[in-house]
Amino acid sequence: MSGTILALAILAAQFLLACAMVCNLWRMLRGPRAQDRVLAFDAFYVNGMLLLVVFGIRSGTTLYFEAALIVALLGFVSTAALAKFLMRGEVIE
Amino acid sequence: MTAPPLWAAWLVVALAVFGAALAMVGALGLLRMRSFYDRAHPATLAATMGATSIVLASLLHFSFAAGRLLPKAFLVAVFIPLVSPVTTMLLARAALARDRSQAFGARPPQTPEDAEWQRKAALLAEAQAEAARRPVEESS
């Protein structure tokens, strides 16, 4: 009983997160300007990380937490670097 | 691995679906909003409440399955809402600097949004020049 509920709900959550990622991808491709793309990329990696966590619930291993943490760290650093690049034209001055 | 009780499963389900729905709402807002500064708001939905509730659902699921509290998931739950405002602030400041430098005629407009910014900046500069030319007479 609880397994069925869980499986269905995880499937629904995965579907919603995948739709959210498609929306973010559309905004990333459309633009219209560079800061919109970076903002969409920021939301995109957060949604991808959440998809990993939900996949971890589904598959039943806690290994995906480390993967999610690495995605979050790399995404934060890359968004900060992109914002710095947009502001100054250089990442490291 | 024992099966979690039914109320725990319902809690996990509710949190996971709520977080995913919030991420979806944020993504729709990212599509629907008109300017960059409007879009910065819905983009934070998934990063704060969505991430917190989904990671909490995962934490509850694995803690009930293992029979003890797993502190590992707290790392993600703390890290993402903590750094999301930092990146949004950085990005908004970068966008503001770009808008300012582009609005004052540094280069030709590339989008209708650009042209609108340049028109507003020209109006503002004109009004400021007008105010500077006018003699101060009303102060008695």
Side-chain angles (χ1 to χ4, degrees):
Chain A
M1 178 64 188
S2 82
T4 319
I5 298 168
L6 202 62
L8 278 178
I10 293 305
L11 201 63
Q14 276 181 324
F15 179 73
L16 282 171
L17 282 171
C19 286
M21 281 178 86
V22 168
C23 290
N24 290 331
L25 197 64
W26 180 251
R27 175 52 76 192
M28 196 157 39
L29 292 177
R30 273 289 301 283
R33 299 175 71 193
Q35 52 261 42
D36 296 300
R37 295 177 209 269
V38 178
L39 189 69
F41 166 73
D42 191 62
F44 183 77
Y45 86 77
V46 167
N47 282 336
M49 190 211 71
L50 293 181
L51 199 56
L52 262 187
V53 173
V54 170
F55 192 73
I57 298 182
R58 181 181 197 155
S59 64
T61 61
T62 55
L63 269 179
Y64 288 94
F65 279 130
E66 277 92 357
L69 200 59
I70 288 170
V71 169
L73 271 169
L74 288 181
F76 165 64
V77 172
S78 58
T79 310
L82 280 169
K84 186 79 192 301
F85 179 76
L86 286 187
M87 180 131 55
R88 298 276 182 192
E90 273 181 84
V91 177
I92 300 168
E93 300 181 83
Chain B
M1 216 179 194
T2 60
L6 196 58
W7 62 270
W10 275 112
L11 200 57
V12 168
V13 158
L15 280 171
V17 173
F18 174 68
L22 217 52
M24 183 68 209
V25 168
L28 281 180
L30 202 64
L31 276 188
R32 283 287 297 166
M33 296 284 154
R34 285 171 191 277
S35 78
F36 170 79
Y37 302 101
D38 292 341
R39 277 178 217 129
H41 295 269
T44 56
L45 275 185
T48 52
M49 197 70 205
T52 307
S53 66
I54 285 186
V55 173
L56 208 61
S58 178
L59 178 74
L60 278 176
H61 180 257
F62 286 118
S63 294
F64 273 112
R68 63 189 173 84
L69 196 62
L70 295 174
K72 201 157 54 175
F74 277 119
L75 282 177
V76 184
V78 168
F79 182 77
I80 283 288
L82 204 65
V83 301
S84 158
V86 177
T87 54
T88 309
M89 273 290 287
L90 279 174
L91 206 56
R93 291 175 74 114
L96 201 59
R98 278 165 69 90
D99 276 341
R100 277 189 181 139
S101 72
Q102 282 182 6
F104 284 95
R107 55 187 208 147
Q110 296 184 340
T111 60
E113 217 180 352
D114 263 9
E116 182 65 19
W117 270 103
Q118 287 199 1
R119 195 182 63 77
K120 281 181 186 166
L123 281 179
L124 181 66
E126 200 178 320
Q128 280 173 345
E130 173 72 26
R133 271 200 304 275
R134 195 185 306 146
V136 185
E137 75 268 8
E138 64 268 19
S139 62
S140 56

